[in-house]
Amino acid sequence: MKTEPVNLTDGLLRSVTKPARYVGGEWNSVTKPLSSDLVRFAFCFPDVYEIGMSNSALQILYYLLNQRPDTWCERSFAPWTDMEQLMREKNIPLYSLESRTPLSQFDWVGFTLQYELSFTNVLNMLDLAGIPQLTLERSAEDPLVVAGGPVAFNLEPMADFFDLAVIGEAEETIEELIDLYHQHCPNGRTSTWDRSAFLRQAAAIPGVYVPSLYAVVYKTDQTVEAIRPLDGTVPPIIQKRIVKNLNTMKRPDQLIVPNTEIVHDRMSLELFRGCPRGCRFCQAGMIYRPVRETGVDTLSKQAAALEQSTGYDECGLLSLSTSDYSQLGSLTDRLLEQFSGHHTSLSLPSLRLDSFTLELMQKGSSTRKSGLTFAPEAGTQRLRDVINKNITEQDLLEAMTLAFKGGWNGAKLYFMLGLPTETDMDAQAIADLTDSIETLYRGLPRSDRPRRLELTVSTAVFIPKPHTPFQWAPQELPEVVNKRQQFLKERFRNRPVKYHYHDWHSSLIEALLARGDRRLGAVIRDVWAKGQTFDAWDDHFKLDNWLDSLEKFGLDVSFYAHRERAEAEIMPWDHIDCGVTSAFLYREYQKALKAKTTPQCRIACSQCGATTFEGGICFGD
Ligand code: SF4
């Protein structure tokens, strides 16, 4: 295999913004001597360096793969448009940061898919690397292109572009894939190795999905009639993999420390995976079930190792809902004691409204810097019951009272617009709730509250996601969402409230891609061919390009985004088993429509199906 590094001249790096994105050489980045039997894996994040480097999956898998003497994992990120232009002008292929090796020379090119709006960036990175975009066009000389991350739970719109995908937590699966690859290519890839035999054997590994081994048949009404494996050797259903015991898994004792500012620039500890709450809009809360916790001793040891190996002076706590960690008090006490005298501080993420305490918040140094954030998600109790967000207005007002008395002068409040069953009244209630906070503030004695009130209200547009109870629900029409956004904008005019809202344009395409099928592959490629990338960046997103391409291929955005789906409809992702049953999700959808709540796992088990994993919260762990 050729290994000549690409040549980056100083002149080129001086011509682009943030050159540190493109040079590597960071503390704890890994280099290895080359040998013919070394498996080379390029971990790719389809967005800019600052975002990709903040992704914990990248740091975990990088560490894990590089622990193997037979494997070298390197990194690559999407170049910003200025760098891309220069790379294309000077014929510089996309390369890895560690050795500046063109990605086309790797054995594996792996993308983590964290959001659907990164799809055009994936295609752009493959093209810049000189790797054929379509799996059908790849030969024995090309790398294997693998996907992972939450979006892989419905990979169908990108099925034509990925040779395989890892469904669920990749820690164990990826090692099994590398072992299998070694059996096929013991001395490195040759031009005659049997790629298709490898893919067939890979498909037999639990948690591995090989899209090209499945055929999709559509009905005349455009819905899916069947998703069939090509023959009896391919499993009809792919069940996700999880790490059962987080205490015994290999966890990083070092992290790459970037040379430039990134979004989350600190060490972080993963308290648990999964979420016990069951918010009906939340895909992560469903696909990562059951909850599995890491013990205090394990986290404390990891924190000591990371502090030593990185020099970071800030430690974040990572999970879907930190206040649900059963040993939060003892963990924070232990860490603060351990960090005392080192100038290392603890950074606490936003807490649930019903578990907000000043004692806890005062343990976190960064909370005051970044301010408080709360997510009531909906304005009325009825709508919060629809989404199973089990918090009340009283919880919000009590948390704000504590916050004002503790010296905070406000908070950022996050809501969604366009939730199933939402009416104009529910949108109006967002403003009423904010009024209640203002009234509360003014009602407190001056000595008990800060001098100035500052509230920020943000509304995102609801996107029904696969593998959630709302996978059957239609997305609200743009004109309705727009009307409610404009109403709130007016209501907050001349008030001590800043209102931010997210434009519906990109949310519409996110809904299209999230619940899409294989026919969208041609659309995504067509949009990319028009030069569109960085769809997740508002100033780069162009709705017209998407609508034109959909029309060109005879597809309708409403079919995917605005149509309520029948209970019996086969979803494009029904062959992917996330561990939570369809029957449970549909039960939850019906309860939602009646505004009935479901208790969280620690109060009562609602038989979601995750017991099949035989561990975690379902068994009292
Ligand atoms: S089986 Fe019960 S306890 Fe386990 S994740 Fe599902 S609802 Fe929670």
Side-chain angles (χ1 to χ4, degrees):
M1 196 187 296
K2 286 184 291 166
T3 52
E4 279 181 22
V6 301
N7 186 15
L8 295 179
T9 60
D10 284 352
L12 180 135
L13 290 171
R14 267 199 298 271
S15 314
V16 296
T17 49
K18 304 193 180 178
R21 286 168 168 168
Y22 309 111
V23 292
E26 306 96 320
W27 184 251
N28 289 335
S29 60
V30 176
T31 55
K32 293 193 177 187
L34 289 176
S35 62
S36 63
D37 57 354
L38 188 68
V39 175
R40 299 193 63 185
F41 192 104
F43 192 107
C44 300
F45 194 97
D47 211 316
V48 291
Y49 177 92
E50 302 90 292
I51 296 175
M53 280 297 292
S54 304
N55 177 258
S56 63
L58 180 147
Q59 294 273 14
I60 292 172
L61 292 175
Y62 184 86
Y63 173 83
L64 197 75
L65 288 172
N66 281 323
Q67 289 294 297
R68 294 177 62 114
D70 61 1
T71 306
W72 184 10
C73 178
E74 305 182 44
R75 294 158 298 146
S76 189
F77 302 90
W80 191 243
T81 49
D82 56 352
M83 181 66 170
E84 180 194 341
Q85 192 184 338
L86 287 176
M87 288 170 75
R88 289 194 187 276
E89 275 169 26
K90 297 179 186 302
N91 284 325
I92 297 173
L94 189 61
Y95 58 90
S96 63
L97 291 190
E98 280 74 2
S99 64
R100 298 195 191 162
T101 302
L103 294 195
S104 59
Q105 293 175 25
F106 277 75
D107 299 286
W108 291 83
V109 168
F111 285 89
T112 180
L113 302 176
Q114 300 290 322
Y115 31 87
E116 292 82 1
L117 293 177
S118 65
F119 286 170
T120 51
N121 274 14
V122 171
L123 296 191
N124 202 40
M125 288 174 77
L126 289 173
D127 183 67
L128 264 174
I131 298 169
Q133 288 174 334
L134 292 169
T135 178
L136 276 176
E137 289 175 356
R138 287 183 203 129
S139 70
E141 315 245 319
D142 294 308
L144 290 157
V145 181
V146 58
V151 172
F153 280 84
N154 179 24
L155 191 67
E156 295 313 287
M158 293 292 278
D160 295 345
F161 312 116
F162 282 102
D163 299 315
L164 64 170
V166 171
I167 308 297
E169 296 164 12
E171 281 88 344
E172 288 162 10
T173 326
I174 200 82
E175 295 225 46
E176 289 166 30
L177 281 170
I178 302 279
D179 289 342
L180 180 66
Y181 184 77
H182 251 305
Q183 288 168 25
H184 278 254
C185 302
N187 292 306
R189 192 169 76 211
T190 64
S191 57
T192 54
W193 84 285
D194 194 342
R195 192 180 166 95
S196 58
F198 169 84
L199 287 173
R200 281 197 161 262
Q201 285 178 25
I205 296 177
V208 174
Y209 174 42
V210 179
S212 59
L213 297 181
Y214 296 78
V216 184
V217 184
Y218 298 93
K219 295 182 186 171
T220 47
D221 69 2
Q222 303 296 311
T223 59
V224 173
E225 182 173 319
I227 304 153
R228 296 195 189 104
L230 294 190
D231 59 50
T233 65
V234 182
I237 300 288
I238 302 97
Q239 195 187 44
K240 79 165 178 197
R241 290 278 290 274
I242 61 164
V243 175
K244 269 194 201 163
N245 188 337
L246 297 191
N247 288 307
T248 53
M249 77 174 229
K250 292 180 209 157
R251 52 185 55 243
D253 56 15
Q254 57 181 42
L255 305 170
I256 308 162
V257 182
N259 293 331
T260 183
E261 209 175 313
I262 62 170
V263 178
H264 299 299
D265 206 359
R266 60 176 90 98
M267 56 175 157
S268 56
L269 302 174
E270 194 179 15
L271 305 193
F272 60 95
R273 292 186 181 174
C275 178
R277 292 283 169 173
C279 296
R280 291 175 179 136
F281 57 86
C282 178
Q283 188 190 47
M286 295 293 159
I287 62 177
Y288 292 119
R289 283 185 173 211
V291 166
R292 291 140 293 143
E293 290 197 346
T294 316
V296 171
D297 286 346
T298 308
L299 293 169
S300 157
K301 270 190 214 135
Q302 190 186 15
L306 291 178
E307 204 186 5
Q308 182 78 22
S309 67
T310 63
Y312 271 128
D313 60 3
E314 190 179 345
C315 177
L317 303 180
L318 200 70
S319 71
L320 289 172
S321 173
T322 296
S323 34
D324 284 315
Y325 180 60
S326 63
Q327 304 166 78
L328 190 57
S330 47
L331 174 70
T332 47
D333 286 346
R334 173 91 77 96
L335 292 175
L336 285 177
E337 190 188 329
Q338 175 171 334
F339 293 152
S340 67
H342 304 196
H343 306 291
T344 298
S345 61
L346 201 55
S347 153
L348 285 171
S350 58
L351 296 174
R352 271 182 68 89
L353 279 163
D354 52 358
S355 52
F356 178 82
T357 67
L358 276 186
E359 189 202 349
L360 199 52
M361 293 313 285
Q362 278 157 354
K363 290 181 180 175
S365 65
S366 64
T367 320
R368 208 162 277 273
K369 276 186 266 165
S370 56
L372 295 175
T373 56
F374 293 122
E377 310 287 7
T380 57
Q381 192 59 47
R382 184 199 69 79
L383 197 51
R384 285 193 294 274
D385 290 346
V386 167
I387 61 175
N388 207 39
K389 184 92 190 180
N390 285 306
I391 52 133
T392 62
E393 179 167 345
Q394 193 57 26
D395 292 327
L396 175 63
L397 296 179
E398 279 172 11
M400 288 309 306
T401 307
L402 283 176
F404 290 139
K405 289 186 175 171
W408 278 275
N409 65 349
K412 291 183 194 139
L413 304 174
Y414 289 101
F415 295 90
M416 277 184 280
L417 280 180
L419 285 162
T421 78
E422 182 183 281
T423 64
D424 290 351
M425 298 278 286
D426 293 300
Q428 193 177 322
I430 293 175
D432 296 342
L433 207 51
T434 317
D435 288 348
S436 305
I437 297 173
E438 210 179 322
T439 308
L440 167 82
Y441 168 83
R442 303 210 184 286
L444 289 174
R446 280 181 188 275
S447 56
D448 271 3
R449 59 165 157 102
R451 275 177 48 195
R452 206 161 36 89
L453 175 66
E454 271 185 35
L455 289 172
T456 302
V457 171
S458 294
T459 59
V461 181
F462 167 69
I463 295 158
K465 293 270 179 162
H467 304 288
T468 69
F470 292 143
Q471 65 176 2
W472 289 274
Q475 188 182 44
E476 186 53 277
L477 293 170
E479 54 271 27
V480 176
V481 170
N482 191 38
K483 184 179 90 175
R484 292 178 189 155
Q485 287 173 336
Q486 296 313 313
F487 165 80
L488 287 173
K489 198 172 156 190
E490 274 309 307
R491 271 288 302 263
F492 291 131
R493 201 183 287 280
N494 303 321
R495 300 271 309 282
V497 181
K498 285 196 193 109
Y499 177 49
H500 299 301
Y501 58 94
H502 198 259
D503 193 60
W504 59 265
H505 292 198
S506 60
S507 304
L508 176 65
I509 299 306
E510 199 178 332
L512 164 92
L513 298 173
R515 295 197 303 173
D517 55 42
R518 289 190 179 191
R519 290 170 299 188
L520 291 176
V523 174
I524 297 164
R525 201 167 182 216
D526 197 56
V527 171
W528 163 79
K530 292 171 185 159
Q532 185 153 329
T533 53
F534 289 103
D535 281 293
W537 295 63
D538 283 348
D539 46 349
H540 283 246
F541 181 82
K542 294 186 193 83
L543 180 64
D544 286 350
N545 280 343
W546 283 98
L547 298 181
D548 291 349
S549 295
L550 281 161
E551 196 180 345
K552 177 171 162 187
F553 290 95
L555 298 171
D556 175 13
V557 70
S558 294
F559 171 82
Y560 294 99
H562 300 137
R563 183 174 59 89
E564 182 172 25
R565 301 185 185 199
E567 180 187 2
E569 181 171 336
I570 296 173
M571 303 290 184
W573 53 89
D574 270 356
H575 54 313
I576 306 294
D577 176 4
C578 75
V580 170
T581 63
S582 230
F584 166 77
L585 294 177
Y586 196 73
R587 258 193 336 262
E588 282 294 289
Y589 182 41
Q590 294 309 302
K591 283 175 87 174
L593 297 178
K594 294 183 197 127
K596 290 203 178 330
T597 58
T598 295
Q600 62 131 316
C601 297
R602 286 211 171 87
I603 294 173
C605 171
S606 47
Q607 312 290 328
C608 75
T611 43
T612 51
F613 293 101
E614 297 175 345
I617 201 169
C618 320
F619 293 83
D621 294 347

